[in-house]
Amino acid sequence: MSKIRSFIERFVTRKIGAEIKCCLTFFYIVCFYWVYRWANGLTEASIVHMFGMLWAAYILEWVQVLINCDFFEMDRLGKKEAAVITLGSLIYAVAGHFLSWFDGNIAVALGFWAYMAFAYICTFAVCKTKRIIDAKQLNSDLKKFQERKNK
Amino acid sequence: MKYTIEQIVKGEDELILRYQRLNSEVEAALRFMNAPPKKLIGEKNDTQAVIDFADVLYVETVDRKTFIYTADDVFRSELTLTQLEEILNTVNFFRCSKSMIINIDKLTTLKSLASNRIDAALFNGEHIIISRTYASEFRKILKGESSDE
């Protein structure tokens, strides 16, 4: 019973994590899309485009979680991580191009690729900073624990 | 209360408590006398060794065999990890994974890793990863929020 419970807990934790990543990635894509539309004098967004963005984000983030190439959880920016960021953002750019989010404009799609890579790097930096702050708190708690116990 | 301390040349060390009524002083002495011995028995090269709790860095199970690690040595224990966990429960020890118990007192630094894991560095330079499953309980213990404390 505890094994089933443990499995469900692990699954739910993973699912929640993946859903949050999907939402954040969707937000990144939509921000670029809105700026692109606005720069072209359009103030309306296509629901079909947004549907495509949502599914692209959902599928890609789940794939990253399942193959353990999740950029949210990277400890450092090495070659493998750089490859994940480059390839991940490229897939979004290709999806954007073929789903006509940017009216087939290759230059904008390339810009979108760079933007998504930058968004990934920013997210990595934020997660890394969060872990550095957390480590400081952990070490402070450890010191207090050791002092408390050795009094 | 009167204290009598006597050094003996022969025979076994002995602690005798004589009292008429239970009071706080007597109770404190009784607690000390009833406290489990803070020692473990380990085996190395067919020789038994007594290991002080304070010298233990961590205890690990490998292939159903339990090993006690100190700064300089590794000893085999006849006890299971669960039995050792019960014995070590009174002091600064924490079950950090299915197969390991660490001495929190011997940790020097902690590093927060992805997926809510913790990298714990021991003073001898070894690193132990505390998994997500055990990390939240570990954080509570450090903060003094655990029910075990």
Side-chain angles (χ1 to χ4, degrees):
Chain A
M1 195 66 190
S2 65
K3 274 187 181 174
I4 298 170
R5 191 181 159 183
S6 168
F7 172 78
I8 293 170
E9 277 175 3
R10 276 205 312 274
F11 175 75
V12 170
T13 310
R14 218 172 182 190
K15 178 152 174 64
I16 292 169
E19 298 290 343
I20 291 168
K21 285 157 201 159
C22 295
C23 291
L24 188 63
T25 311
F26 175 66
F27 176 74
Y28 290 155
I29 301 169
V30 151
C31 275
F32 188 91
Y33 178 74
W34 284 340
V35 170
Y36 168 76
R37 303 279 291 184
W38 187 58
N40 283 288
L42 300 165
T43 51
E44 287 168 349
S46 160
I47 203 158
V48 177
H49 287 168
M50 288 178 70
F51 186 75
M53 289 169 197
L54 187 65
W55 275 103
Y58 198 79
I59 294 166
L60 259 162
E61 293 312 309
W62 260 109
V63 168
Q64 285 185 12
V65 169
L66 292 175
I67 61 170
N68 288 323
C69 282
D70 186 355
F71 77 97
F72 274 70
E73 308 290 3
M74 288 171 183
D75 283 319
R76 61 189 190 91
L77 259 183
K79 282 180 188 169
K80 184 195 163 194
E81 290 76 15
V84 170
I85 287 174
T86 310
L87 193 67
S89 48
L90 176 66
I91 293 171
Y92 282 115
V94 170
H97 180 68
F98 285 105
L99 295 173
S100 297
W101 297 343
F102 313 113
D103 308 315
N105 189 329
I106 290 177
V108 177
L110 288 172
F112 179 59
W113 180 14
Y115 163 82
M116 283 306 287
F118 180 69
Y120 272 167
I121 291 165
C122 287
T123 311
F124 165 79
V126 168
C127 292
K128 182 89 180 164
T129 310
K130 183 181 156 280
R131 285 199 288 274
I132 290 169
I133 295 166
D134 185 41
K136 271 187 186 170
Q137 183 62 47
L138 271 172
N139 284 299
S140 160
D141 289 345
L142 175 68
K143 205 176 166 192
K144 282 179 194 160
F145 174 89
Q146 288 172 339
E147 282 168 359
R148 209 163 56 232
K149 288 287 173 181
N150 294 321
K151 253 183 190 173
Chain B
M1 188 170 23
K2 193 171 78 178
Y3 296 94
T4 307
I5 300 166
E6 188 186 340
Q7 190 178 15
I8 54 168
V9 185
K10 275 198 300 187
E12 210 176 319
D13 291 352
E14 194 178 15
L15 191 61
I16 299 167
L17 178 66
R18 300 173 67 206
Y19 67 93
Q20 282 191 330
R21 282 192 311 274
L22 269 178
N23 58 33
S24 58
E25 265 186 304
V26 174
E27 278 176 357
L30 278 171
R31 269 200 302 277
F32 171 76
M33 290 170 85
N34 291 328
K38 292 185 172 180
K39 308 253 187 230
L40 294 173
I41 305 290
E43 214 174 273
K44 189 185 177 186
N45 302 331
D46 298 326
T47 313
Q48 283 201 329
V50 179
I51 310 150
D52 206 304
F53 279 12
D55 294 332
V56 177
L57 294 183
Y58 60 94
V59 181
E60 190 181 23
T61 300
V62 182
D63 295 333
R64 295 189 176 182
K65 290 172 190 158
T66 313
F67 297 94
I68 302 164
Y69 292 79
T70 65
D72 315 307
D73 262 317
V74 182
F75 300 94
R76 168 94 193 268
S77 173
E78 289 302 313
L79 301 174
T80 64
L81 200 68
T82 311
Q83 287 169 325
L84 281 170
E85 190 183 9
E86 281 170 20
I87 294 168
L88 298 168
N89 198 24
T90 51
V91 283
N92 310 337
F93 287 86
F94 173 71
R95 179 82 176 252
C96 67
S97 71
K98 275 184 186 171
S99 61
M100 196 180 273
I101 299 167
I102 50 165
N103 185 349
I104 304 176
D105 241 3
K106 301 290 179 190
L107 298 177
T108 53
T109 48
L110 298 170
K111 192 177 162 193
S112 182
L113 297 179
S115 306
N116 199 24
R117 292 166 305 137
I118 297 168
D119 177 344
L122 287 157
F123 84 96
N124 67 345
E126 280 187 68
H127 286 256
I128 287 163
I129 304 295
I130 302 171
S131 68
R132 186 211 304 252
T133 317
Y134 295 87
S136 53
E137 180 62 22
F138 182 65
R139 286 170 192 272
K140 279 184 193 169
I141 287 173
L142 291 186
K143 286 183 187 294
E145 293 169 2
S146 173
S147 54
D148 297 341
E149 270 203 287

